[in-house]
């Protein structure tokens, strides 16, 4: 049977690629997409999620708008990376498919309560505000979750929005703290892994050479998205962060990591949003996450390109 997942997202070009990979994979049953404020404000992330569904010709996948601000802080966005719309690069039409009437948090709670225990995986690709709000309102759903597989955090790669913090965790550290302490099985795809999934020129040409609307759109998204990271890191391409979540669900053998304790810094102005990862086991704090440290990039991009090729 296909693995049931809910994608919680703030598209974002790399979020869009993660969604496209999921919708192209018969091993995954995308029950719904919940939008959260993050890379751009909520009205745009909810719009962008529907744009991606229509690009994939999957208007059957319901999209829900969620929280428009972090739990306790003003929203920080990332237009400097993703552009004004969040999906700058390709020219894509506005979506015709509607948003669902229900709030994303209500959808999360209702779905997890309805489905058999341990049958739904949550896949957060942005700030964890929606997931934390659902867990706070309905603590009973934590034991219903099969797994939370999220993109966020960093340890050896330190931060990408501050010297200490990765963007998704930094935007809403209080929400991250709730999720990391909820007790649900948790796998974390941090910058330590995603920075090894670089879209080189050859890999982006492979997307473009598919010659399909999806392949060309992904190449154009990456053309735009990569300029920031290539300038910042001096790398040969931009990391595709969020598709690592989807790829992990499909091919966990491409990834390696450890079961460790991860705590979220919420107090210090200097290290707000830091994922304090006890990689070396130097504390007696209980292990609460599988923290991924590496990905095999050639296998990752072969999987991604093969699945994108299934779109007509």
């Amino acid at each position: 049977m296909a693995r049931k997942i809910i994608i919680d997202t703030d598209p974002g070009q790399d979020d869009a690629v993660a969604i496209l990979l999921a919708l192209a994979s018969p091993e995954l049953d995308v029950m719904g997409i919940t939008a959260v404020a993050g890379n751009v404000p909520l009205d745009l992330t909810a719009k962008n999620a529907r744009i991606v569904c229509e690009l994939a010709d999957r208007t059957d996948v319901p999209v829900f708008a969620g929280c428009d601000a972090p739990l306790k802080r003003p929203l920080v966005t990332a237009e400097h990376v993703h552009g004004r719309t969040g999906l700058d690069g390709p020219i894509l039409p506005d979506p015709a498919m509607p948003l669902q009437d229900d709030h994303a948090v209500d959808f999360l709670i209702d779905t997890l309560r309805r489905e058999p225990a341990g049958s739904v995986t949550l896949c957060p690709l942005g700030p964890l505000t929606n997931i934390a709000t659902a867990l706070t309102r309905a603590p009973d759903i934590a034991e219903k979750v099969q797994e939370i597989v999220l993109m966020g955090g960093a340890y050896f790669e330190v931060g990408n929005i501050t010297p200490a913090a990765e963007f998704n965790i930094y935007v809403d550290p209080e929400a991250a703290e709730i999720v990391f302490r909820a007790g649900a099985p948790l796998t974390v795809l941090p910058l330590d892994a995603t920075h090894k999934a670089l879209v080189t020129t050859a890999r982006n040409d492979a997307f473009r050479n598919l010659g399909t609307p999806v392949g060309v759109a992904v190449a154009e998204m990456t053309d735009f998205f990569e300029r920031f990271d290539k300038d910042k890191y001096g790398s040969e391409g931009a990391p595709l962060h969020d598709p690592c979540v989807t790829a992990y669900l499909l091919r966990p053998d491409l990834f390696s990591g450890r079961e460790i304790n991860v705590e979220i810094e919420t107090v210090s102005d200097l290290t707000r949003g830091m994922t304090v990862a006890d990689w070396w086991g130097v504390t007696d704090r209980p292990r609460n996450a599988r923290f991924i440290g590496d990905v095999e990039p050639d296998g990752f991009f072969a999987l991604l390109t093969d699945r994108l090729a299934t779109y007509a």
Side-chain angles (χ1 to χ4, degrees), residues 112-113 115-120 122 134-135 138-148 181-185:
L112 287 166
R113 283 178 168 169
E115 295 293 323
S119 65
V120 179
L122 304 181
L135 288 166
D140 57 289
I141 65 174
E143 62 185 24
K144 301 291 291 288
V145 175
Q146 178 179 355
E147 188 177 10
I148 300 173
R181 293 184 176 180

Side-chain angles (χ1 to χ4, degrees), residues 126-246:
L128 291 163
T129 316
N130 285 343
I131 308 298
T133 302
L135 288 166
T136 301
R137 290 185 187 173
D140 57 289
I141 65 174
E143 62 185 24
K144 301 291 291 288
V145 175
Q146 178 179 355
E147 188 177 10
I148 300 173
V149 181
L150 66 88
M151 189 277 130
Y155 185 61
F156 294 104
E157 284 288 313
V158 295
N160 65 353
I161 187 69
T162 74
E166 178 275 330
F167 177 82
N168 287 343
I169 307 298
Y170 176 81
V171 169
D172 199 343
E174 286 80 13
E177 183 178 49
I178 290 168
V179 172
F180 276 72
R181 293 184 176 180
L186 179 62
T187 296
V188 181
L189 280 298
L191 300 182
D192 304 81
T194 66
H195 274 188
K196 295 165 185 168
L198 296 179
V199 186
T200 62
T201 299
R203 289 165 177 164
N204 209 35
D205 286 345
F207 300 150
R208 197 183 323 273
N209 291 340
L210 293 173
T212 62
V214 167
V216 172
V218 168
E220 291 177 346
M221 288 180 200
T222 306
D223 283 339
F224 181 90
F225 176 64
E226 72 175 0
R227 86 214 184 284
F228 176 80
D229 282 322
K230 287 175 75 172
D231 288 345
K232 179 178 180 180
Y233 296 111
S235 58
E236 59 179 335
L240 272 183
H241 304 287
D242 294 330
C244 287
V245 168
T246 313

Side-chain angles (χ1 to χ4, degrees), residues 13-81:
Q13 292 91 347
D14 57 327
D15 304 69
V17 180
I19 295 167
L20 290 168
L21 177 57
L23 295 178
S25 299
E27 304 96 320
L28 302 177
D29 174 9
V30 182
M31 304 177 72
I33 296 173
T34 52
V36 68
N39 285 322
V40 287
L42 180 66
D43 61 332
L44 288 174
T45 63
K47 176 183 178 180
N48 291 346
R50 289 176 289 149
I51 289 173
V52 175
C53 287
E54 292 191 355
L55 178 63
D57 195 23
R58 288 295 305 275
T59 57
D60 58 303
V61 178
V63 177
F64 301 82
C67 298
D68 62 0
L71 297 181
K72 296 183 178 181
R73 302 175 187 267
L75 176 65
V76 175
T77 55
E79 287 90 349
H80 63 289
V81 178

